[in-house]
C-alpha cells in the first residue's frame, strides 16, 4: 500500500520521534526526511525544545515540524515555478497521532498538545497533506532518531539512497 502512495511527483515525508532519548534532560529527538520524486532532498534531526510526558506528545511535535517542513518546501517549489499538485504524503509510525490528525471528528484531550495538533489538522483539512501510518520497520526517519544495529542501519540507508 505504501508503494501506491509514493508516486513520482509527490512530496513525501517520513517523521519519527524517540521519546525521552536524552538521558540527562529527557527531551525527545525528532527525525524527518523529505523526499521529492523518491529522492531525499531535506532531512532534520534535533532534540525537541520541550520535555514531553508521553510518546504521543513527542510524535505530535514531530508531526507538526514535518507539516511545517512540507508547507515550506511546497512554497519554495512554487516560487521556483514548479507546480505542486495534490496533497503531500506524511508517514509516521504512531497510530494514535495518525488517527487524531486524519479523522475530522477526533478530539484532543490534552490541552498542552493542542497547538501541534491543530497545526497538523489544519494542513489535513486544507488538503496540503495526507497523514498515513507506516510500520516502524519501514519508517525511514528511524535512522535519525534511534541507535540501530549495523545490518538494520545499512538496510535503511540503502532504502533512503537507492529505493526511496
Amino acid at each position: 500500500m505504501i508503494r501506491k502512495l509514493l508516486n513520482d511527483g509527490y512530496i513525501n515525508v517520513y517523521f519519527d520521534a524517540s521519546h525521552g532519548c536524552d538521558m540527562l534532560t529527557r527531551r525527545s529527538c525528532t527525525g524527518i526526511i523529505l523526499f521529492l520524486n523518491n529522492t531525499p532532498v531535506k532531512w532534520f534531526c534535533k532534540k525537541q525544545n520541550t520535555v514531553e510526558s508521553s510518546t504521543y506528545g513527542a510524535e505530535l511535535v514531530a508531526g507538526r515540524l514535518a507539516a511545517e517542513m512540507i508547507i515550506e518546501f511546497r512554497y519554495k517549489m512554487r516560487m521556483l515555478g514548479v507546480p505542486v499538485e495534490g496533497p503531500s504524503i506524511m508517514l509516521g509510525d504512531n497510530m494514535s497521532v495518525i488517527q487524531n490528525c486524519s479523522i475530522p471528528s477526533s478530539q484532543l484531550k490534552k490541552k498542552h498538545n493542542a497547538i501541534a495538533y491543530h497545526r497538523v489538522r489544519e494542513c489535513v483539512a486544507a488538503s496540503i497533506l495526507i497523514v498515513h501510518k507506516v510500520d516502524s520497520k519501514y519508517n525511514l526517519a528511524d535512522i535519525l532518531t534511534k541507535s540501530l544495529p549495523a545490518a538494520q542501519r545499512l538496510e535503511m540507508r540503502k532504502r533512503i539512497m537507492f529505493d526511496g
Side-chain angles (χ1 to χ4, degrees):
M1 173 162 165
I2 296 298
R3 269 291 170 221
K4 287 182 185 178
L5 294 173
L6 303 180
N7 293 329
D8 287 341
Y10 283 96
I11 298 170
N12 306 309
V13 175
Y14 290 87
F15 73 97
D16 193 33
S18 180
H19 181 248
C21 66
D22 185 346
M23 298 303 284
L24 185 62
T25 64
R26 284 301 182 193
R27 290 187 182 175
S28 303
C29 181
T30 296
I32 302 168
I33 302 177
L34 187 138
F35 289 83
L36 177 63
N37 292 337
N38 295 330
T39 304
V41 292
K42 189 171 184 177
W43 53 91
F44 176 85
C45 179
K46 186 179 175 191
K47 270 194 299 187
Q48 293 180 358
N49 293 330
T50 59
V51 177
E52 292 298 328
S53 60
S54 66
T55 303
Y56 175 82
E59 293 273 350
L60 196 57
V61 168
R64 177 188 56 85
L65 291 170
E68 289 174 355
M69 189 179 285
I70 288 171
I71 292 169
E72 169 194 337
F73 198 75
R74 288 171 65 97
Y75 180 74
K76 284 181 183 178
M77 295 301 288
R78 285 193 308 270
M79 294 304 290
L80 291 170
V82 178
V84 179
E85 297 176 7
S88 301
I89 311 291
M90 195 165 86
L91 300 158
D93 58 8
N94 187 305
M95 194 60 186
S96 297
V97 171
I98 304 304
Q99 284 182 336
N100 276 348
C101 292
S102 58
I103 299 172
S105 62
S106 69
Q107 294 180 349
L108 184 67
K109 294 187 170 57
K110 297 182 179 184
K111 188 175 179 179
H112 66 278
N113 291 330
I115 294 172
Y117 168 78
H118 286 293
R119 182 65 169 155
V120 177
R121 280 291 306 136
E122 180 182 79
C123 292
V124 171
S127 295
I128 294 171
L129 59 90
I130 298 171
V131 185
H132 282 283
K133 181 168 182 353
V134 64
D135 287 335
S136 291
K137 64 181 178 180
Y138 298 116
N139 190 351
L140 300 179
D142 270 359
I143 200 167
L144 300 173
T145 59
K146 296 170 181 67
S147 178
L148 301 173
Q152 191 177 358
R153 188 175 59 247
L154 181 62
E155 180 62 30
M156 286 265 196
R157 266 192 8 225
K158 284 181 185 176
R159 287 201 332 248
I160 290 170
M161 299 308 293
F162 305 113
D163 193 30

